[in-house]
Amino acid sequence: MRSDVTVELVKASASDSDVLFAARVSTLGEQSLGELQKDPERSRGLINYLMRDRHGSPFEHNSMTFMISAPIFVFREFMRHRVGWSYNEESGRYRELQPVFYVPDASRKLVQEGRPGKYVFVKGTPAQHETVQSVLGDSYHQAYEAYQKLLAEGVAREVARAVLPVGLYSSMYATCNARSLMHFLGLRTQHELAKVPSFPQREIEMVGEKMEAEWARLMPLTYAAFNANGRVAP
């Protein structure tokens, strides 16, 4: 049983200078390649201008690939993000899935209060947390036993996997650029600087927070401009 998610940056070609040479080709043409050799700190204002006035395409000339391990229900939300994203997930057709399941820890708010469109989540009681852990644990155990029984009977993996719940962990590669990541973060994280409120499920927000930390390290000026302009994707 796990209550965490993991995010590893496995490959990246992303820097603030990528934004600058892409933006300046409109006025400098082929001379914009010279921007690759310049200190992007000198052009902090241009990056902020592009972000503020929502000139978005210069933020697409970069790439980041993450390896993510999270419950399946997180990935089903993730894959609603299609523009600027590429995914490859482990397959229950081709490999035997491992018995790793999600159980929320004591920090996870359990109770939803209010009507649809206007609700909040509040902490559960110790008894509720105990019940969640017990019920999920029993359910996972029964489901995985059923999965193993089907496999032992010679049933194909792609059929046997139907008994497994969305709390099962999966893994995938997710590749994006800074613009698509900013759109993701604007929807899937809550932040005090955000102009537009967001109400993400906590588990996908946990993934977003880890991706954001890696991106902030790669493109600090772009990241600062994103926050300074309300965390709205350009």
Side-chain angles (χ1 to χ4, degrees):
M1 303 295 174
R2 289 176 55 183
S3 59
D4 65 329
V5 299
T6 59
V7 175
E8 179 184 357
L9 180 67
V10 297
K11 184 174 65 172
S13 175
S15 68
D16 291 316
S17 61
D18 296 334
V19 180
L20 298 172
F21 82 78
R24 286 184 168 140
V25 72
S26 61
T27 56
L28 297 178
E30 69 280 1
Q31 296 177 41
S32 62
L33 289 172
E35 298 301 318
L36 290 171
Q37 311 304 323
K38 293 182 179 179
D39 179 6
E41 184 70 37
R42 295 172 56 191
S43 298
R44 178 191 297 267
L46 174 57
I47 291 176
N48 189 70
Y49 160 75
L50 295 169
M51 190 77 69
R52 185 193 69 214
D53 285 16
R54 306 194 72 185
H55 296 291
S57 58
F59 297 100
E60 297 175 5
H61 295 268
N62 55 83
S63 177
M64 294 164 278
T65 298
F66 299 91
M67 168 59 82
I68 302 169
S69 176
I72 286 174
F73 66 80
V74 170
F75 290 171
R76 297 305 162 261
E77 287 194 337
F78 224 114
M79 291 173 184
R80 293 177 180 274
H81 297 268
R82 298 181 293 278
V83 178
W85 288 88
S86 297
Y87 303 108
N88 280 94
E89 185 182 354
E90 70 175 283
S91 174
R93 297 184 68 192
Y94 304 122
R95 66 168 302 193
E96 182 175 333
L97 299 172
Q98 300 303 301
V100 183
F101 297 96
Y102 176 74
V103 175
D105 63 20
S107 68
R108 179 41 159 111
K109 296 177 180 179
L110 292 182
V111 180
Q112 180 178 324
E113 294 183 347
R115 57 182 174 80
K118 193 175 183 180
Y119 58 82
V120 295
F121 283 90
V122 298
K123 289 183 178 180
T125 65
Q128 287 172 321
H129 277 282
E130 184 176 341
T131 298
V132 167
Q133 293 186 353
S134 174
V135 170
L136 287 180
D138 289 345
S139 177
Y140 292 153
H141 181 77
Q142 292 173 19
Y144 200 77
E145 274 196 344
Y147 176 64
Q148 290 292 306
K149 181 177 180 180
L150 291 171
L151 294 179
E153 292 290 332
V155 175
R157 288 184 291 267
E158 65 183 52
V159 177
R161 64 179 174 171
V163 301
L164 295 172
V166 294
L168 182 78
Y169 272 71
S170 187
S171 58
M172 73 170 178
Y173 288 109
T175 299
C176 63
N177 59 57
R179 190 183 191 184
S180 55
L181 181 58
M182 284 186 277
H183 179 68
F184 176 88
L185 295 174
L187 290 172
R188 301 299 182 179
T189 61
Q190 291 182 312
H191 198 282
E192 61 183 3
L193 296 177
K195 288 182 180 177
V196 181
S198 184
F199 306 94
Q201 184 164 340
R202 177 55 189 154
E203 288 77 12
I204 196 169
E205 184 178 36
M206 290 161 60
V207 173
E209 289 169 349
K210 291 179 180 292
M211 296 175 76
E212 180 172 343
E214 295 287 356
W215 172 55
R217 179 178 58 82
L218 292 169
M219 302 178 72
L221 300 183
T222 303
Y223 179 65
F226 176 58
N227 283 317
N229 290 278
R231 294 175 67 89
V232 175

